[in-house]
Amino acid sequence: MSFLSKIFGDPNNKEIEKLSDQIQRINQLERELESYDQAKLRQQTTALKNKLKDSGTSKKTVMLEILSLAFAMVREASKRALGQRHFDVQLIGGLTLHQGKIAEMKTGEGKTLAATLPAFLNALTGEGVHIVTINDYLARRDAEWMGRIYNYLGLTVGCLQHESAFKFSSFSDSNLNRTKIEQTEMGDQTGSELAPCSRREAYGCDITYGTNNEFGFDYLRDNMVPRIDLKVQRGHFFAIVDEVDSILIDEARTPLIISAPDTESTDKYYQFAKLINQLTENEDFNIDEKLKTSTLTEAGIAKLEKILGLKNIYEEAGLETVHHLEQALRAKTLFKLDRDYVVKSEQVIIVDEFTGRLMPGRRFSEGLHQALEAKEGVEVQRESKTLATITLQNYFRMYKKLAGMTGTAATEAEEFSKIYNLDVITVPTNKPMIRRDLNDVIFKTGTGKFKAAVREIKKRYQTGQPILVGTISVEKSELLSEFLRREGVKHEVLNAKNHEREAKIIAQAGQRAAVTIATNMAGRGTDIVLGEGVAKIGGLHVLGTERHEARRIDNQLRGRSGRQGDQGSSQFFVSLEDDLMRIFGSGRTKAIMDRLGLPDDQPIEHKIISRSLEAAQKKVEGNNFDIRKHLVEYDDVLNKHREIIYQKRDKVLTGDSRKQLMTMFAKEFEELMVEHTMGDKENNWNIKEIIETTKAMGLVADEANLKDKLEKIAATAKGQITSVQARTQAVKYLMSEVVLVYKKRLSEYGQAVLDSLVKAILLRSIDLQWMQHLNTMEFLRQSVRMQAYAQKDPLVEYKKQSFDSFQSLLRSIEREVVNTIFKVQVAVGNQPLPNQAGNSAGNNQIKKRIKTGRNEPCPCGSDKKYKKCHGK
């Protein structure tokens, strides 16, 4: 306890004490609700819904009034549907979540059940609650398992899976006996009560379960649809994030990206890999393991130029080539097979560094994945162009209310507060924690450490005590497995290569004499239940074979043991050759061991070593926080752009397309008149240029008449005031021409087709320009790093340049629309117009003339007119 806590009291305990009256009120309602049948409980649900519906702006106050009853109803439904009664500490967890905070609940304390309380209460608003899990298995398990509670009370439950969705079917008193489940978080009876449904239906449910990726990618896809009825999400009201540290911190460094393959050749990646293999470390390139960077030296660049026959690689080959060479260098020096990725079915598949799970379908960006494919000699997939992207930080910050739960959050409390504005409350355990956490033991070498680990495992195995062994990579788990096989120790291996059997392996890990080797995934989200008689021989022992960069990952591993007051123990074996100690540890540790002259497999315990370990972990945690903070600072800039573009898209999908089109034309004409009518004299009006531009838009039916009209208006521009009036009159006249052409098209195609046509062109322009902007911003983010050498803040420069780029984007969208709309022909075909929903004119398609007018923007993107650029 800190000095301040001793004086002022523990702030966490104070928060818990504030909830005691609320807990008491919930408990007092239990006896009354026991007399209600299911029909009466469902009537109460309807009554509470109606009360919230009629509350107007005082919804928050009404929720506080009905909270005790809602929580008590969930507890009663759980007792009947699952045979499980919420403990008071689970009520505390539920109240913490409802307040929009993070509930730190130890493993086995029933986080999954605790989340049902605030989920039910907030779902009564009708706005939809999202419960976010770390994988599809847990999303489906929890949707069915907890779905019985919600459904019993009359709420609907949806479940998102990769490329599919489900809805909970009916559940009532009549099938309680058939589905009664023992009080365990495993909940293995999944699948029988989930019926397939559309994704839109799943989101339409009161409560929807799914992974962070499914929610995030659905949001991006919703903002790429051609029709409003194809959107699946219905807003972002309240999200409860399970394993919140894993999702909002560990995975937050990797943005969600929807991309399309590029058309460039992939041969260059093999060439880059061969070139990098000719370089020598510390001569041609340097590696900084602390910062996880590798950089070419001047000598390395000179060697590459000599091999390629170039005088200056930056000028002759370009920055893009240098970038790909740097990525090939990173692939060779910083990314290891069976640690950072595996090769499976001739594909490079990422291994999640925090969970050890495979991440099929996910690819490293900026050409790094292609560099790894070239390094491993498998087929290189084409590089992708980004169509849509968002970081998890900015996705989850869209929710009106956000909450989370995990067994380990306190060590990252600062990050949760600064980035997500989330406070962490540590919830007390239902029963006292009696697990023994033994001191770390340190070995001189990795080989010595593994020999000692095998001896320790074999000793406990012979007593019948189950043991869970944690490793940090697939490679290490397989190495340890081989050692145990030689010693005749029967065991299971749980890593990224056989994660399909995860639930089955974890279910048996607490049985007598069970030995389970696991990467960091370690069955996170599921509990290890002790077998008969195991508690008498010490319970489950957790042996960590390496400290992780983050302390909470170690705590997660420890937390597999000692659930709900069970017997258990844990210990970490560490060597000076472990990455954490080697890169960040103090040199004094090695000096101590050398001075003592200990054998490689002889352990040592020392305060200096323990302090060195903790200091190393704090260093890495701080460094990783800086990386994530840096990422979100840059994405905050892009996020403002994203919000504006997506609002524009929604306006196109739902608004008056004619009105939007006329606004764009009016703005274009105003700029046109200012550009070509500067000065007060009549002869300053460049009427020829004005006519050429309007002709390029497909507007001029009678050029002579337009010329005559503009000359007459120009003649009235004598002074400053009259000049402004003349320009306004000219814009008004040009707009009348637009209306005439629009009416002509209306008579040819009809309102439905013309609306669809306008919306399709507006969407096409927004989407194509936005895609280009995303790629521009990515290049800009990389290029501003060089500003640091000029003593400038790269982030400030990024903000300045991105503002200019975005303003240019908005103008480009409008210019493209006004220069396209009246040159598009609608011809009879087999495909419906994009954006058209089942009207009688549905068998039409858009055909665009592939010709650039002299006064149109040049397709090269220079912002010059075609006639002054590539049309010269």
Side-chain angles (χ1 to χ4, degrees):
M1 185 182 286
S2 70
F3 175 70
L4 289 175
S5 294
K6 286 178 182 176
I7 297 174
F8 299 109
D10 187 338
N12 189 84
N13 289 341
K14 286 186 175 180
E15 288 296 320
I16 299 295
E17 285 169 13
K18 285 180 188 176
L19 303 175
S20 58
D21 289 345
Q22 195 80 60
I23 301 295
Q24 193 175 351
R25 284 195 291 271
I26 295 166
N27 288 334
Q28 287 169 350
L29 288 165
E30 187 169 14
R31 175 100 21 123
E32 180 188 342
L33 292 180
E34 283 176 342
S35 64
Y36 287 19
D37 60 12
Q38 184 184 15
K40 193 165 183 181
L41 282 172
R42 285 191 169 188
Q43 285 172 6
Q44 280 285 8
T45 299
T46 304
L48 294 180
K49 274 187 171 183
N50 290 336
K51 192 170 184 179
L52 278 166
K53 190 178 178 181
D54 298 336
S55 63
T57 55
S58 59
K59 193 169 286 186
K60 196 173 180 180
T61 307
V62 174
M63 285 182 84
L64 196 59
E65 290 172 6
I66 66 172
L67 186 149
S68 298
L69 178 57
F71 274 41
M73 287 168 65
V74 174
R75 177 191 264 176
E76 185 59 33
S78 179
K79 282 157 57 178
R80 300 183 195 186
L82 303 183
Q84 294 181 245
R85 179 185 178 275
H86 292 75
F87 300 127
D88 282 1
V89 291
Q90 288 172 312
L91 298 181
I92 292 171
L95 289 167
T96 301
L97 294 171
H98 173 65
Q99 291 171 352
K101 297 176 182 177
I102 291 174
E104 185 184 70
M105 299 175 69
K106 299 300 179 191
T107 302
E109 292 298 306
K111 295 187 294 291
T112 308
L113 194 62
T116 58
L117 300 158
F120 174 76
L121 172 60
N122 285 270
L124 294 172
T125 62
E127 294 186 70
V129 172
H130 296 169
I131 301 184
V132 189
T133 66
I134 55 174
N135 59 46
D136 274 352
Y137 164 74
L138 291 176
R140 181 163 184 146
R141 181 203 74 174
D142 294 354
E144 173 153 18
W145 187 22
M146 299 299 113
R148 297 171 187 183
I149 297 174
Y150 307 126
N151 188 267
Y152 189 86
L153 292 169
L155 295 189
T156 55
V157 182
C159 174
L160 306 172
Q161 298 281 279
H162 186 56
E163 296 182 349
S164 61
F166 298 89
K167 194 172 179 179
F168 194 93
S169 57
S170 184
F171 181 80
S172 64
D173 282 327
S174 61
N175 52 11
L176 278 176
N177 295 329
R178 181 178 63 79
T179 57
K180 192 171 183 180
I181 300 175
E182 293 181 4
Q183 190 158 340
T184 164
E185 278 200 33
M186 279 302 296
D188 56 355
Q189 299 181 26
T190 57
S192 60
E193 285 159 345
L194 292 178
C197 70
S198 70
R199 226 163 172 78
R200 191 180 174 96
E201 282 180 291
Y203 277 108
C205 291
D206 296 306
I207 297 159
T208 307
Y209 284 83
T211 66
N212 48 297
N213 288 344
E214 294 303 311
F215 285 115
F217 280 125
D218 280 341
Y219 169 72
L220 292 178
R221 283 189 286 262
D222 270 359
N223 286 285
M224 296 171 71
V225 296
R227 298 199 316 263
I228 195 69
D229 62 297
L230 294 177
K231 280 195 169 193
V232 295
Q233 291 188 342
R234 59 185 180 113
H236 300 87
F237 168 57
F238 180 38
I240 300 173
V241 183
D242 193 8
E243 306 298 357
V244 67
D245 54 329
S246 177
I247 291 172
L248 294 192
I249 290 182
D250 297 339
E251 295 199 28
R253 282 193 285 180
T254 308
L256 302 178
I257 298 172
I258 293 178
S259 56
D262 207 343
T263 55
E264 288 188 16
S265 169
T266 57
D267 293 342
K268 60 184 178 183
Y269 296 103
Y270 297 111
Q271 295 163 9
F272 296 142
K274 286 177 184 176
L275 284 169
I276 291 300
N277 284 333
Q278 298 178 55
L279 303 182
T280 307
E281 187 179 351
N282 296 327
E283 183 181 318
D284 302 319
F285 62 88
N286 293 319
I287 300 172
D288 187 328
E289 290 187 280
K290 286 188 179 183
L291 296 178
K292 294 184 181 176
T293 60
S294 56
T295 51
L296 291 165
T297 62
E298 289 294 327
I301 291 168
K303 184 182 280 189
L304 288 170
E305 286 172 339
K306 187 176 179 181
I307 296 169
L308 294 168
L310 302 172
K311 287 185 179 180
N312 187 318
I313 194 170
Y314 291 95
E315 288 183 5
E316 296 173 63
L319 281 172
E320 189 179 353
T321 297
V322 177
H323 167 73
H324 284 300
L325 283 166
E326 288 173 342
Q327 293 293 55
L329 180 63
R330 287 184 70 207
K332 177 188 175 181
T333 58
L334 299 176
F335 289 79
K336 291 183 181 177
L337 179 67
D338 284 343
R339 186 192 73 183
D340 303 298
Y341 63 93
V342 298
V343 176
K344 189 176 181 181
S345 305
E346 292 297 301
Q347 287 186 316
V348 170
I349 301 175
I350 300 171
V351 174
D352 188 314
E353 65 172 306
F354 296 101
T355 66
R357 287 188 172 88
L358 288 184
M359 302 170 75
R362 296 283 290 272
R363 293 176 65 83
F364 292 115
S365 59
E366 300 175 29
L368 176 59
H369 211 98
Q370 286 80 2
L372 289 170
E373 289 166 332
K375 170 188 171 184
E376 297 299 336
V378 300
E379 183 183 352
V380 175
Q381 305 295 318
R382 292 190 187 280
E383 200 169 349
S384 300
K385 284 193 173 181
T386 301
L387 303 179
T389 180
I390 192 170
T391 58
L392 287 174
Q393 289 106 319
N394 274 319
Y395 174 73
F396 282 107
R397 289 195 299 184
M398 288 194 302
Y399 283 89
K400 294 176 188 173
K401 185 162 73 172
L402 181 64
M405 50 190 185
T406 179
T408 48
T411 57
E412 311 293 343
E414 181 189 4
E415 184 164 351
F416 282 123
S417 177
K418 285 186 176 177
I419 293 185
Y420 300 101
N421 197 28
L422 287 170
D423 292 330
V424 177
I425 300 296
T426 301
V427 179
T429 56
N430 184 48
K431 293 179 182 178
M433 172 73 73
I434 60 172
R435 184 186 69 232
R436 292 181 304 119
D437 294 329
L438 306 173
N439 289 332
D440 293 359
V441 286
I442 290 88
F443 300 86
K444 198 170 179 181
T445 67
T447 304
K449 176 185 70 175
F450 273 105
K451 283 181 182 175
V454 170
R455 283 201 305 270
E456 178 74 8
I457 294 165
K458 191 173 182 180
K459 181 181 79 176
R460 292 181 184 268
Y461 171 70
Q462 288 170 344
T463 68
Q465 184 179 16
I467 182 166
L468 174 67
V469 188
T471 65
I472 68 162
S473 69
V474 175
E475 179 187 23
K476 297 283 175 65
S477 68
E478 292 181 343
L479 175 65
L480 186 57
S481 175
E482 178 59 24
F483 285 155
L484 289 176
R485 190 185 61 77
R486 290 176 192 169
E487 292 292 323
V489 176
K490 188 179 176 185
H491 62 279
E492 287 277 9
V493 180
L494 175 57
N495 61 31
K497 290 186 176 179
N498 66 348
H499 66 95
E500 296 88 355
R501 297 177 56 232
E502 176 180 347
K504 187 178 179 183
I505 292 171
I506 284 295
Q508 300 301 316
Q511 300 304 306
R512 193 177 184 87
V515 177
T516 310
I517 302 172
T519 49
N520 290 330
M521 63 205 304
R524 187 166 182 173
T526 57
D527 278 341
I528 298 172
V529 182
L530 298 185
E532 191 176 342
V534 166
K536 293 178 181 177
I537 52 174
L540 177 69
H541 180 68
V542 170
L543 176 61
T545 60
E546 197 162 334
R547 281 283 194 172
H548 194 272
E549 288 181 351
R551 287 168 292 169
R552 62 193 163 74
I553 304 296
D554 294 338
N555 292 338
Q556 278 286 346
L557 182 62
R558 284 193 198 276
R560 309 312 334 152
S561 171
R563 64 181 291 277
Q564 282 291 330
D566 281 347
Q567 290 284 348
S569 55
S570 71
Q571 189 168 36
F572 280 87
F573 281 19
V574 182
S575 93
L576 297 183
E577 293 179 347
D578 294 347
D579 287 347
L580 185 70
M581 290 298 290
R582 183 173 53 80
I583 301 169
F584 295 95
S586 166
R588 289 186 299 170
T589 310
K590 190 174 189 305
I592 291 169
M593 300 197 83
D594 286 341
R595 192 165 59 245
L596 292 172
L598 296 173
D600 288 356
D601 59 348
Q602 176 74 37
I604 183 174
E605 295 181 44
H606 198 285
K607 284 184 179 179
I608 290 176
I609 295 170
S610 298
R611 283 201 297 266
S612 179
L613 262 172
E614 189 171 342
Q617 286 179 308
K618 284 182 178 177
K619 272 186 201 172
V620 183
E621 286 169 0
N623 186 46
N624 287 339
F625 177 28
D626 288 342
I627 291 170
R628 290 187 291 267
K629 190 165 174 282
H630 182 75
L631 173 69
V632 83
E633 282 173 345
Y634 277 83
D635 194 59
D636 279 345
V637 178
L638 186 60
N639 198 50
K640 289 183 175 66
H641 300 175
R642 184 188 297 113
E643 287 173 359
I644 293 168
I645 288 294
Y646 286 177
Q647 283 168 8
K648 279 185 170 293
R649 247 190 146 270
D650 281 345
K651 196 175 176 183
V652 171
L653 293 173
T654 59
D656 184 337
S657 58
R658 180 187 180 281
K659 188 177 179 182
Q660 291 171 41
L661 186 64
M662 295 303 168
T663 302
M664 286 184 182
F665 269 108
K667 190 172 181 180
E668 185 67 21
F669 290 147
E670 283 164 8
E671 289 193 12
L672 177 68
M673 296 310 297
V674 169
E675 186 179 344
H676 296 299
T677 63
M678 293 308 292
D680 297 332
K681 295 180 182 177
E682 177 189 336
N683 58 11
N684 282 336
W685 281 43
N686 192 339
I687 292 173
K688 183 182 177 186
E689 192 69 32
I690 295 170
I691 292 171
E692 279 190 14
T693 302
T694 50
K695 275 175 69 178
M697 294 176 186
L699 289 174
V700 182
D702 188 339
E703 188 175 337
N705 184 53
L706 177 59
K707 183 172 181 287
D708 180 56
K709 186 70 176 177
L710 288 173
E711 284 175 347
K712 285 179 181 177
I713 295 172
T716 67
K718 301 296 182 185
Q720 189 174 352
I721 295 172
T722 52
S723 182
V724 172
Q725 291 171 338
R727 287 191 201 108
T728 303
Q729 194 177 348
V731 169
K732 192 174 180 181
Y733 176 74
L734 291 172
M735 285 302 297
S736 69
E737 291 290 303
V738 174
V739 172
L740 285 174
V741 176
Y742 183 86
K743 285 181 177 177
K744 185 183 176 187
R745 289 296 175 96
L746 188 62
S747 65
E748 290 173 1
Y749 304 139
Q751 191 69 60
V753 174
L754 190 56
D755 283 348
S756 294
L757 176 65
V758 173
K759 289 191 179 196
I761 290 172
L762 281 166
L763 291 175
R764 173 186 173 278
S765 179
I766 291 170
D767 292 345
L768 288 177
Q769 296 285 351
W770 175 241
M771 182 178 73
Q772 181 60 45
H773 182 68
L774 289 175
N775 287 284
T776 300
M777 291 289 281
E778 181 56 42
F779 181 77
L780 176 61
R781 191 165 66 87
Q782 294 172 36
S783 64
V784 293
R785 293 173 191 163
M786 305 298 289
Q787 297 290 340
Y789 295 109
Q791 304 300 309
K792 292 181 180 178
D793 185 339
L795 181 60
V796 172
E797 291 303 308
Y798 178 77
K799 286 178 178 178
K800 285 179 184 175
Q801 294 184 44
S802 66
F803 176 80
D804 294 338
S805 178
F806 188 62
Q807 294 305 310
S808 175
L809 161 73
L810 296 177
R811 287 301 296 122
S812 295
I813 289 171
E814 292 173 347
R815 283 214 165 107
E816 185 174 281
V817 170
V818 298
N819 279 286
T820 302
I821 188 67
F822 292 133
K823 291 184 289 187
V824 170
Q825 294 177 326
V826 178
V828 175
N830 295 320
Q831 298 297 321
L833 273 169
N835 217 60
Q836 189 164 324
N839 56 45
S840 59
N843 291 327
N844 294 294
Q845 62 180 4
I846 297 173
K847 288 186 179 179
K848 187 177 186 303
R849 293 178 185 151
I850 312 300
K851 185 181 178 183
T852 305
R854 294 182 69 247
N855 286 287
E856 290 183 49
C858 188
C860 74
S862 66
D863 281 341
K864 294 180 181 178
K865 289 187 177 180
Y866 179 65
K867 67 182 180 186
K868 293 179 180 177
C869 191
H870 283 76
K872 263 187 179 180

